[in-house]
Amino acid sequence: MRLRNTATRSIEPFAPLDPRNVRLYLCGPTVYDRAHLGNARNVIVFDVLFRLLRHDHGADAVTYVRNFTDVDDKIIARARETGRPIDSITRETTAWYLEDMDALGNLRPTHMPRATDHVAGMTAMIAELIARGHAYEAEGHVLFAVATYSDYGRLSGRSTDDMIAGARVEVAPYKRDAMDFVLWKPSADDEPGWDSPWGRGRPGWHIECSAMAKALLGTEFDIHGGGNDLLFPHHENEIAQSCCADPGTGFARHWLHNEMLLVEGRKMSKSLGNFFTVRDLLDRGVPGEVIRFVFLQTHYAKPMDWTDEKAREAEAILRKWRALSSPGGTPDAAVLDALRDDLNAPQALAELHRIAKAGDGATLRASAELLGLLTPALGGWTETGRDDAALVEAALAARAEARAAKDWTRADALRDALVAAGVVVTDGKGKGWEAGPGFDPAKLEGVA
């Protein structure tokens, strides 16, 4: 296998530290709201990697950790806005996140630690950094002294000026240097907090992942990933903390970052009206498997553009593939080669098209499952056993009869049912139709 490594800025052979225990860490969500569509990209990328490594090394030989940040200023702010207890918000949004990621066909990681369960490990790491001269206490805060780590900035390749601008550093009189970052901060009486040698407070964001990775994967492991928006300062800070707390270890040997998401060619933004969550798409009737397919059409190292047209095309392809696929096959060598070449999912999809064209349903399914496609868990949206065309045509015929009888109430109700089922009438006369986005003919059962 070859993987792009941000740390070396090259695609290089991947050899795990221990082939019997390949270890992965992915930065997970801060749980205060629904996951937006861009949040799903690195989960899908790492899910494909997880599946491939399990195929190559064995299902029990891969340990995958993805955390939940459940103590954070955004969560505190949401609790104040809503008047709800913090733990109620984090429990609810954690469940939402898992439900949405499951709907996209992602396997659950081996471990999904919550930051609040690892505060003791964080305080121990902070104490070690202070003892080694890499951190200092100031006005109830503990800060990491960036100047004590000579390799700071190597991962991102940024100059000090660029780093200061990129980090949006907080100006504070208690900092020795503008680049120093918070490991521990004091908590007000109405904020969550834990007792520590530095007073009641809570951890900074960056220390959380360092402590959880150490607890579950050790001081050195194989792959750490996330979106490229985390490259600096989050991942840069993780390296500094971890390598200084445990000198002589390398923390993550390989860094994998995915590019960002566009929507219809533009950056996703609430101000542009093109911001939406995974749940928004699912509730619109776009199947999770379709969302996943669209994501996999673009290599993870390139910006991905979500369009409704891509979703429609993906749905048509997946319907054909599911109708053709059958159990009992083994993955195609060319699909495996594509995925082992820096997770080249677009090339793997091209190979699946070739296999489908040849009519090899068993190989198609076994190969597609490496990408999390055509799995039984995601099959419910197409494998219905219904005569979908008959349901649609019966509803269209019933609407035509209602219109002829000038029963406009029934005609309108049937029209609304067809729209809700994702049926697109193609000739304006009700004689032709096609499956549109969110096509779900089950909604037409009993309406005609």
Side-chain angles (χ1 to χ4, degrees):
M1 184 190 297
R2 302 189 320 140
L3 285 175
R4 193 176 308 261
N5 187 352
T6 307
T8 61
R9 292 161 183 77
S10 64
I11 297 174
E12 58 190 34
F14 170 72
L17 287 161
D18 179 0
R20 298 165 301 178
N21 184 20
V22 187
R23 287 163 288 168
L24 322 175
Y25 189 95
L26 177 65
C27 287
T30 299
V31 282
Y32 68 100
D33 207 344
R34 287 280 187 185
H36 66 68
L37 191 60
N39 296 144
R41 192 175 191 194
N42 56 35
V43 179
I44 292 173
V45 170
F46 255 63
D47 185 68
V48 173
L49 177 60
F50 187 35
R51 290 172 183 272
L52 179 62
L53 290 171
R54 283 161 58 96
H55 174 274
D56 286 355
H57 295 273
D60 297 329
V62 186
T63 303
Y64 171 23
V65 177
R66 187 184 69 220
N67 72 290
F68 288 105
T69 293
D70 59 347
V71 54
D72 182 87
D73 290 348
K74 292 177 181 177
I75 300 172
I76 295 171
R78 182 57 52 88
R80 286 173 176 158
E81 291 168 7
T82 61
R84 296 179 59 194
I86 285 175
D87 62 345
S88 173
I89 293 171
T90 59
R91 282 197 306 270
E92 178 181 63
T93 51
T94 296
W96 286 349
Y97 182 86
L98 291 173
E99 181 183 10
D100 291 348
M101 295 307 110
D102 289 349
L104 300 181
N106 297 299
L107 300 174
R108 295 277 178 101
T110 316
H111 302 289
M112 295 185 288
R114 294 162 55 101
T116 52
D117 291 333
H118 288 263
V119 175
M122 298 174 206
T123 56
M125 182 174 281
I126 293 168
E128 186 67 23
L129 289 167
I130 292 173
R132 293 183 177 276
H134 293 291
Y136 58 93
E137 184 181 0
E139 298 184 19
H141 295 74
V142 180
L143 297 107
F144 184 88
V146 169
T148 67
Y149 183 57
S150 60
D151 281 344
Y152 192 82
R154 179 170 292 184
L155 178 69
S156 58
R158 298 188 179 203
S159 68
T160 301
D161 289 344
D162 287 342
M163 287 190 288
I164 290 174
R168 298 179 181 176
V169 297
E170 178 188 358
V171 177
Y174 49 78
K175 284 188 177 185
R176 294 177 184 173
D177 185 277
M179 287 300 300
D180 295 350
F181 57 88
V182 172
L183 301 172
W184 188 263
K185 64 177 74 175
S187 291
D189 291 342
D190 64 343
E191 296 175 337
W194 291 260
D195 292 332
S196 80
W198 319 287
R200 182 177 178 277
R202 60 189 187 276
W205 174 40
H206 309 298
I207 196 69
E208 294 179 6
C209 287
S210 286
M212 287 184 278
K214 180 178 180 178
L216 295 168
L217 299 176
T219 57
E220 195 163 13
F221 55 95
D222 295 299
I223 302 174
H224 194 316
N228 64 4
D229 58 324
L230 298 183
L231 175 58
F232 182 84
H234 186 52
H235 290 163
E236 199 77 71
N237 291 352
E238 280 188 68
I239 293 171
Q241 297 161 166
S242 297
C243 291
C244 289
D246 293 286
T249 62
F251 192 47
R253 295 184 65 189
H254 203 108
W255 288 85
L256 195 69
H257 290 92
N258 62 276
E259 265 286 354
M260 294 295 100
L261 175 78
L262 304 174
V263 175
E264 302 288 352
R266 300 192 296 176
K267 183 177 179 180
M268 190 165 66
S269 168
K270 290 181 179 178
S271 64
L272 294 175
N274 66 348
F275 179 95
F276 46 89
T277 67
V278 173
R279 180 52 48 182
D280 289 335
L281 281 184
L282 294 171
D283 287 348
R284 275 171 42 191
V286 182
E289 188 172 32
V290 169
I291 298 170
R292 186 181 185 93
F293 189 102
V294 173
F295 274 51
L296 293 173
Q297 287 178 305
T298 304
H299 192 276
Y300 74 87
K302 296 180 179 179
M304 195 213 89
D305 189 14
W306 171 273
T307 69
D308 289 341
E309 179 62 27
K310 287 181 181 178
R312 286 191 289 271
E313 292 172 356
E315 182 165 335
I317 292 166
L318 286 167
R319 285 186 179 280
K320 292 176 184 177
W321 286 2
R322 280 201 171 269
L324 173 64
S325 71
S326 59
T330 56
D332 183 82
V335 173
L336 283 165
D337 287 346
L339 294 178
R340 289 171 183 152
D341 185 16
D342 193 28
L343 300 180
N344 192 341
Q347 181 58 40
L349 290 176
E351 300 296 343
L352 293 181
H353 281 287
R354 171 184 58 80
I355 297 164
K357 187 175 182 180
D360 188 347
T363 301
L364 177 64
R365 176 175 291 185
S367 302
E369 286 181 346
L370 285 170
L371 289 95
L373 300 172
L374 306 189
T375 63
L378 291 182
W381 69 278
T382 54
E383 295 177 354
T384 62
R386 298 184 307 265
D387 187 340
D388 292 347
L391 281 171
V392 174
E393 287 159 8
L396 289 169
R399 182 167 184 256
E401 290 174 7
R403 288 171 63 85
K406 297 185 179 181
D407 184 350
W408 306 119
T409 300
R410 176 160 171 73
D412 288 348
L414 286 161
R415 177 201 62 202
D416 293 344
L418 287 160
V419 170
V423 177
V424 178
V425 178
T426 55
D427 66 358
K429 299 178 181 179
K431 297 179 181 179
W433 64 275
E434 63 184 26
F439 180 61
D440 184 5
K443 295 178 179 179
L444 296 174
E445 292 182 333
V447 303

